[in-house]
Amino acid sequence: MAMREVLEDELTKKGFEIDKEMSWWAATGYASVGEVEQALHWLSVTIELGFLNHRFFSEHDPHLSQLVGNPRFEALRERAREKQREIEAVG
């Protein structure tokens, strides 16, 4: 099964919506096939579900790091930083 087929599978998409690692996987998958808007959408979901490692997104993930400089990616990275700060302030 090709990457795009896997990404578009309805059952797989349900997993993307409820699991932070699955939504991150979707973001990287879409980025790897050049679907920037979908990659950014799923990265947003990833962050809202609590995967906040902004350094990993931009420095270590080979698929998402290609989005560095994209204004929406940078805004999402900043959102992840903000959410991380909020958690640290409470903890």
Side-chain angles (χ1 to χ4, degrees):
M1 187 180 278
M3 177 63 79
R4 286 182 198 269
E5 291 173 10
V6 172
L7 292 167
E8 295 300 322
D9 178 76
E10 289 304 315
L11 185 58
T12 304
K13 280 186 172 182
K14 289 182 191 288
F16 296 164
E17 295 168 358
I18 61 171
D19 183 88
K20 63 186 174 190
E21 284 82 13
M22 287 288 294
S23 59
W24 162 73
W25 183 83
T28 63
Y30 278 111
S32 75
V33 296
E35 296 282 342
V36 173
E37 294 304 314
Q38 284 293 318
L40 293 170
H41 166 75
W42 288 111
L43 182 58
S44 175
V45 172
T46 298
I47 292 165
E48 292 310 310
L49 290 173
F51 188 172
L52 306 175
N53 193 337
H54 55 88
R55 287 185 188 98
F56 176 78
F57 299 148
S58 60
E59 297 172 17
H60 302 289
D61 185 301
H63 303 292
L64 295 179
S65 63
Q66 65 186 326
L67 301 177
V68 170
N70 177 300
R72 285 189 55 212
F73 177 81
E74 297 301 332
L76 289 170
R77 194 164 67 161
E78 184 57 32
R79 177 67 181 132
R81 277 190 202 109
E82 290 171 7
K83 287 182 70 119
Q84 183 64 43
R85 284 187 209 120
E86 291 170 9
I87 291 169
E88 290 170 355
V90 172

